[in-house]
Amino acid sequence: MHSKTILIVDDEAPVRDMLRVALEMADYRCLEAENAQEAHALVIDEKPDLILLDWMLPDVSGVELARRLKRDELTTAVPIIMLTAKGEEDNKIKGLETGADDYITKPFSPRELVARLKAVLRRAGPATPEDPLSAGDLVLDPLSHRVTIKGQPVDMGPTEFRLLTFFLSHQERAYTRTQLLDHVWGGNVYVEERTVDVHIRRLRKALALDGHDRYIQTVRGTGYRFSVQTAEKV
C-alpha cells in the first residue's frame, strides 16, 4: 500500500520543515509549496491526498486558494486542513465556509496534527481510480492499461490514453483546451493549445470502431466534450 501524499503550503521554510518531519515520521509522503501558484501546480500534477494550507500566503491567501480549489470539480474532492495563528471564532468559520475540512490553530503538537489529518482522510474515503471506466461498449481499465470496444483491443499512445481517462471520468461537460492541458498534460508543462487538437484527432482515429469517435465532440467557442447522450441523438 502506497503512503498518502500530503501537500504542505506555507511561506515559512521552518514551519514546512517541522510539518514535513512530523508527517514523514508518521509514514506520509510530503510535497511543499511556499505560495498559492506553486501549490495549485502541484495539486494539478501530483493530485495529493490532502492539503495542509496556511491562512497567510504572500500572493493569494490560503482562504482564496481553498475557495478556488473547491470551486473546480477536478480538485473539489481534495481535503484541506487550514493552518493559522488566527484563533478567533469568525476566522475559523470563514475558513470552514470556503470548504476546508478542518481548522488547526497554531501552535499545535505533531501528535494532534497527525490525529486530525488521519480523521480527515478517513472521512474523505478511499479514491478508486483502479475501477474500469466505460461508455457504452467502450471500456478503459486503468490497472491493465487496456482499452476495448465490444471486447476488441484498441491501440493508442500514452497521451491519448490519459486523455481518454480524463474524458471518461468527466463525461457530459465541455472543457477548454487550457483545462485539458492543465489536467492531462500537467500544470507545469508548457504545451501549445494546438497540441490538444492533434491528440484529439489521434484519439478519434483510435476510437473509430463502430463510430465511437463520435463521443468526442467539438464544442464551438469552447473546446471539447465527451458525450454518449448527445452522440445517441445525432
Side-chain angles (χ1 to χ4, degrees):
M1 182 177 176
H2 296 291
S3 298
K4 296 284 188 181
T5 299
I6 311 300
L7 172 59
I8 301 168
V9 187
D10 196 299
D11 62 324
E12 297 183 32
V15 174
R16 295 199 306 273
D17 291 342
M18 181 270 291
L19 293 171
R20 187 188 70 250
V21 170
L23 293 174
E24 287 179 346
M25 288 181 65
D27 200 30
Y28 290 102
R29 172 176 174 257
C30 294
L31 303 169
E32 297 181 34
E34 62 179 3
N35 57 53
Q37 184 176 357
E38 284 184 15
H40 190 265
L42 283 170
V43 171
I44 298 299
D45 289 344
E46 299 286 344
K47 298 176 176 59
D49 296 289
L50 183 143
I51 303 169
L52 288 176
L53 179 58
D54 187 48
W55 179 291
M56 299 297 291
L57 292 175
D59 49 354
V60 176
S61 73
V63 171
E64 179 57 31
L65 175 59
R67 187 177 290 115
R68 291 180 186 178
L69 293 172
K70 292 299 182 179
R71 274 201 302 255
D72 187 341
E73 69 167 32
L74 300 166
T75 54
T76 187
V78 182
I80 297 173
I81 297 180
M82 298 294 298
L83 303 175
T84 181
K86 297 175 182 288
E88 295 84 356
E89 193 69 24
D90 59 339
N91 285 325
K92 291 184 180 181
I93 292 171
K94 183 177 179 182
L96 294 171
E97 283 179 344
T98 64
D101 298 84
D102 201 356
Y103 190 109
I104 304 180
T105 304
K106 301 174 185 177
F108 50 82
S109 71
R111 287 183 62 190
E112 178 191 4
L113 171 66
V114 171
R116 301 275 282 274
L117 185 144
K118 285 181 178 178
V120 170
L121 285 172
R122 279 197 302 270
R123 293 200 301 271
T128 55
E130 301 87 1
D131 294 341
L133 302 168
S134 64
D137 297 316
L138 171 64
V139 179
L140 181 149
D141 187 341
L143 288 181
S144 64
H145 213 269
R146 289 193 180 103
V147 177
T148 58
I149 295 176
K150 291 187 174 180
Q152 297 185 45
V154 176
D155 291 328
M156 64 181 63
T159 301
E160 287 73 45
F161 185 88
R162 292 198 306 273
L163 192 55
L164 182 58
T165 300
F166 178 82
F167 277 138
L168 287 170
S169 302
H170 304 88
Q171 299 182 37
E172 308 300 334
R173 173 176 167 175
Y175 289 93
T176 66
R177 291 168 177 80
T178 300
Q179 287 175 315
L180 291 173
L181 285 173
D182 281 346
H183 296 289
V184 177
W185 278 261
N188 283 325
V189 178
Y190 177 74
V191 182
E192 291 186 3
E193 288 191 358
R194 288 183 303 174
T195 303
V196 176
D197 300 330
V198 172
H199 288 282
I200 288 287
R201 286 198 296 272
R202 291 178 182 172
L203 181 56
R204 281 174 170 159
K205 185 176 180 180
L207 299 179
L209 181 64
D210 281 350
H212 283 73
D213 53 322
R214 72 185 186 279
Y215 291 170
I216 300 173
Q217 296 148 14
T218 301
V219 181
R220 289 187 181 278
T222 303
Y224 297 98
R225 172 182 58 221
F226 188 97
S227 173
V228 176
Q229 295 177 16
T230 310
E232 288 175 345
K233 295 174 185 177
V234 175

